[in-house]
Amino acid sequence: MSNKLNGIGASNGIAVASVYVLDEQPIVIPKKDATNLEQELELINSSIAKAKKDLESLQAIAKEKLGEEKAAIFEAHASILEDPAMAEEFTALIKEKNYNAARAIDEVSKKYIEMFGAMEDAYFKERAADVKDVTQRLIRYVLKMPVLDLASISSEVIIVAEDLTPSQTAQLNPKYVKGFACNVGGRTSHAAIMARSLEIPAVLGLRTILSTAKEGDVLAIDGSTGDVEINPSDKSVWEAKAKKFLEEKAELEQFKTKSTITKDGYDKFILEGNIGSPKDVAAVLENGGEGVGLFRSEFLYMDNDHFPTEEEQFEAYKKVVSDMNGKMTVIRTLDIGGDKKLSYFAFPEEMNPFLGYRAIRFTMDRKDIFRDQIRALLRASAFGPVGIMFPMIATIDEFVSAKKFTLECKAELEKEGVAVGKDLEIGMMVEIPAAAVNAENFAKHADFFSVGTNDLIQYSMAADRMSENVTYLYQPFNPSILRLLKLTIDGAHKHGKWAGMCGEMAGEPDAVPLLMGLGLDAYSMSATSITKARSIMSKLTLVETQELAKKALECETSSQVLDLVHKLMSDK
Ligand code: PEP
Ligand code: MG
């Protein structure tokens, strides 16, 4: 019987194959006290050695299949095993509480998993999976349980699992593993990142796939839409989907190296990548990104146990700017608070942290902390074109005083004889409706705008972006949002400034024609969306997108706007 489910499309592609249920024997932690402490400590050490050996060979396999950078995850895993603080905690529990080895590891790992898991930022949340992956392997060795070997799969399958750990993902041979479908996980999990590198279609966050699909079933998955069908009723539908996907993929490949130009020859739009850390630059360049339109600098602060020093930040920014090799890098100053917390700094308790003490409101209040970041950014600007961008600007005073502070830091550096770049631009995010409405005045002071639609939409619709109950209000195509975009873009242009967008909307295929018509200059998105946006632009004339935008601005609803876009794109 066919059965349809929908999850999160985590790695594009279509696959149809037999189900392989990855059902590891669950770990049961024995509660009994240790009788021989030395023996327990020795057991941990020998298991660590075995796990490290596994990680070494996994790293070698991954290096060959995924490249050096992706394989580095296993080095990170090995460093978790080598962490002296963790080892001390194991020893303390065994010596002081008489815990057996497995229980000690379980207890300590739970603490770290909980710590990472409690972080709201998706990237850090996923790091909990790394600790879990490593410590579960260790516990399996301690308890003398089998450790699964996925590399030995030798017929075409789709893996169905609760979750796939990074080490399991790295073992998959794309020749046989055609895809995977998991109950948990999202687009930023390691499994998803690796699946994209291996080009294996994956659907995650399915919740009930493990209890629904059985060994012997045939599974069809669409890694772009997240659609899954167990025992598909009409295989030809899936064959057609697969054919279309492969054709599109082949067509998009050429756009990695093409220039960004519309059908009628307009070549001023630029397509850029959003990054969260220096290692993300490679994907931006590989996909033909013409710059970095948003570097979320939070990672430097969140992946740390102290406010990063000027020097630590300078090294990270300099790396990105140098790697971009003359292309523009827009770095956003610390956007902390709201959902993003720091383990080493207590933000005040507030009823509505998203509307509270965060981002520019925090940094301008704590100039001691802000100074280090601004100085690091200014120093990095000596290595290539840099845009410094302030998040969550609501008033002209906020922007003007943040810019003044930046210029003071610049003067300070120059006085010290430290080089600062000549191509420095100082701009702002437009993510609060008040800023969009007043854009024309902001443009007198700011060098550029970058619209953060993720927040602009949540604040315009009064709909918390973290709440699953109000996701229907995330409406990028609502005419009210389009009108705010028009005010922002026109405001910038009136004063000869450029307007970009770095929220998710910029990379939405349906949004691109509208944004072109509204005159948006820079489009910053996840690296893998760049080729699609470039292909869309190549199929459209500027005039037809302008007509589209004009009609869209007169619409009443989101669906009317989408109908217009689909009508225009239907014969392209
Ligand atoms: C946005 O709000 O659209 C944005 C790009 O910033 P973030 O998603 O980091 O809040
Ligand atoms: Mg934002």
Side-chain angles (χ1 to χ4, degrees):
M1 203 183 68
S2 125
N3 194 346
K4 291 181 182 172
L5 299 174
N6 183 265
I8 299 163
S11 174
N12 291 348
I14 310 290
V16 181
S18 308
V19 167
Y20 176 102
V21 178
L22 173 65
D23 207 2
E24 280 193 310
Q25 215 186 321
I27 295 175
V28 181
I29 305 289
K31 292 275 180 288
K32 66 175 189 317
D33 282 349
T35 44
N36 182 333
L37 302 188
E38 286 311 313
Q39 217 172 336
E40 297 300 309
L41 291 173
E42 177 45 37
L43 188 53
I44 290 196
N45 287 336
S46 61
S47 302
I48 287 181
K50 282 184 200 156
K52 266 167 75 175
K53 213 159 153 234
D54 283 358
L55 291 174
E56 269 165 33
S57 61
L58 279 170
Q59 195 183 353
I61 301 173
K63 200 162 156 182
E64 207 183 297
K65 284 199 286 193
L66 299 159
E68 191 116 16
E69 212 168 298
K70 296 276 176 342
I73 168 91
F74 297 108
E75 222 171 283
H77 280 194
S79 68
I80 296 177
L81 287 175
E82 283 160 4
D83 183 10
M86 219 180 206
E88 262 171 43
E89 289 181 61
F90 297 155
T91 313
L93 285 177
I94 294 173
K95 285 193 173 158
E96 288 158 24
K97 293 198 173 173
N98 256 17
Y99 276 17
N100 65 63
R103 190 173 174 199
I105 301 169
D106 185 52
E107 190 84 6
V108 174
S109 69
K110 268 192 202 140
K111 192 183 92 182
Y112 286 94
I113 292 166
E114 215 169 274
M115 186 187 87
F116 282 115
M119 295 186 179
E120 292 290 350
D121 183 278
Y123 178 83
F124 292 99
K125 231 182 181 41
E126 297 297 347
R127 300 296 71 77
D130 293 335
V131 177
K132 190 167 172 201
D133 189 359
V134 176
T135 49
Q136 299 259 313
R137 176 180 297 276
L138 195 54
I139 294 174
R140 280 181 194 278
Y141 276 122
V142 165
L143 296 176
K144 305 197 167 31
M145 291 173 74
V147 178
L148 266 188
D149 176 18
L150 290 177
S152 62
I153 293 176
S154 57
S155 63
E156 292 196 357
V157 296
I158 291 178
I159 293 184
V160 169
E162 175 66 20
D163 191 10
L164 272 186
T165 63
S167 57
Q168 287 167 338
T169 316
Q171 293 173 42
L172 307 180
N173 181 348
K175 188 169 166 211
Y176 297 116
V177 178
K178 295 293 154 196
F180 57 85
C182 298
N183 276 357
V184 304
R187 276 195 69 82
T188 54
S189 60
H190 268 312
I193 294 166
M194 287 191 176
R196 291 198 284 273
S197 297
L198 288 165
E199 299 192 12
I200 297 180
V203 179
L204 305 181
L206 280 158
R207 291 173 194 190
T208 55
I209 187 75
L210 196 54
S211 54
T212 330
K214 303 270 170 286
E215 205 92 30
D217 285 340
V218 169
L219 196 64
I221 65 173
D222 181 339
S224 327
T225 60
D227 288 332
V228 165
E229 191 174 1
I230 305 167
N231 297 324
S233 50
D234 186 354
K235 270 201 179 169
S236 67
V237 172
W238 285 92
E239 278 157 14
K241 275 187 185 214
K243 187 163 169 270
K244 188 161 171 259
F245 174 79
L246 291 175
E247 281 167 5
E248 178 157 298
K249 186 164 170 251
E251 194 215 308
L252 289 182
E253 195 60 28
Q254 48 170 321
F255 286 96
K256 285 185 177 174
T257 49
K258 279 196 170 169
S259 47
T260 307
I261 183 162
T262 63
K263 196 174 167 193
D264 52 348
Y266 183 78
D267 62 0
K268 301 283 184 292
F269 293 136
I270 68 164
L271 297 174
E272 308 171 307
N274 288 350
I275 64 169
S277 86
K279 64 177 171 29
D280 299 338
V281 169
V284 175
L285 295 173
E286 195 190 301
N287 283 283
E290 297 161 274
V292 164
L294 169 65
F295 177 8
R296 291 179 162 100
S297 66
E298 298 85 84
F299 97 98
L300 277 169
Y301 292 77
M302 297 178 71
D303 196 10
N304 225 326
D305 57 6
H306 59 274
F307 280 104
T309 63
E310 177 185 324
E311 216 48 41
E312 285 167 340
Q313 296 192 57
F314 168 64
E315 287 304 326
Y317 304 145
K318 180 179 134 191
K319 170 128 185 56
V320 173
V321 176
S322 313
D323 288 355
M324 287 308 290
N325 203 9
K327 294 184 171 123
M328 178 74 158
T329 305
V330 176
I331 307 175
R332 175 172 77 185
T333 63
L334 181 59
D335 186 7
I336 205 75
D339 58 324
K340 300 170 195 156
K341 302 270 190 306
L342 299 174
S343 58
Y344 50 89
F345 182 85
F347 279 88
E349 287 289 327
E350 290 175 305
M351 288 285 280
N352 292 298
F354 265 105
L355 305 180
Y357 186 57
R358 56 172 299 200
I360 197 71
R361 304 164 185 188
F362 168 71
T363 48
M364 282 302 281
D365 187 43
R366 291 297 306 264
K367 296 215 186 71
D368 51 329
I369 294 165
F370 203 23
R371 174 172 281 103
D372 288 341
Q373 178 166 46
I374 297 292
R375 283 175 61 98
L377 289 170
L378 290 166
R379 286 170 59 195
S381 74
F383 295 83
V386 164
I388 296 181
M389 172 160 80
F390 303 125
M392 299 293 295
I393 294 285
T395 72
I396 299 274
D397 285 346
E398 275 174 339
F399 182 79
V400 169
S401 51
K403 181 172 170 180
K404 183 166 166 272
F405 179 66
T406 305
L407 295 176
E408 281 163 12
C409 292
K410 185 168 173 252
E412 211 173 85
L413 283 167
E414 281 163 350
K415 214 164 137 199
E416 292 166 26
V418 179
V420 175
K422 289 186 196 59
D423 299 326
L424 179 74
E425 294 189 37
I426 302 176
M428 57 181 266
M429 303 249 336
V430 174
E431 47 191 345
I432 296 181
V437 172
N438 202 14
E440 195 182 316
N441 287 319
F442 276 104
K444 294 175 194 160
H445 308 276
D447 293 329
F448 65 89
F449 293 151
S450 184
V451 187
T453 46
N454 307 341
D455 278 318
L456 183 65
I457 296 169
Q458 83 158 341
Y459 294 131
S460 302
M461 297 291 183
D464 185 345
R465 66 194 258 192
M466 311 290 281
S467 164
E468 285 168 20
N469 304 316
V470 293
T471 45
Y472 78 96
L473 285 167
Y474 174 76
Q475 293 190 4
F477 300 97
N478 191 297
S480 51
I481 300 297
L482 300 184
R483 286 175 206 144
L484 289 173
L485 295 179
K486 181 167 167 52
L487 282 171
T488 308
I489 298 165
D490 290 353
H493 290 171
K494 188 147 187 214
H495 294 281
K497 309 295 171 64
W498 59 269
M501 179 180 287
C502 58
E504 287 304 305
M505 184 180 183
E508 284 244 355
D510 283 338
V512 173
L514 286 163
L515 300 174
M516 292 166 70
L518 289 169
L520 187 79
D521 303 292
Y523 302 64
S524 193
M525 58 196 71
S526 73
T528 48
S529 303
I530 292 174
T531 51
K532 177 81 180 171
R534 189 167 286 141
S535 131
I536 293 171
M537 287 184 170
S538 75
K539 294 184 176 121
L540 294 163
T541 65
L542 207 50
V543 180
E544 61 189 349
T545 63
Q546 284 162 350
E547 279 164 9
L548 169 76
K550 190 161 175 277
K551 281 192 213 147
L553 286 164
E554 285 160 11
C555 286
E556 290 180 9
T557 66
S558 217
S559 45
Q560 287 170 355
V561 172
L562 276 168
D563 284 348
L564 289 174
V565 176
H566 294 157
K567 196 161 148 243
L568 174 67
M569 296 309 290
S570 63
D571 60 344
K572 300 290 171 191

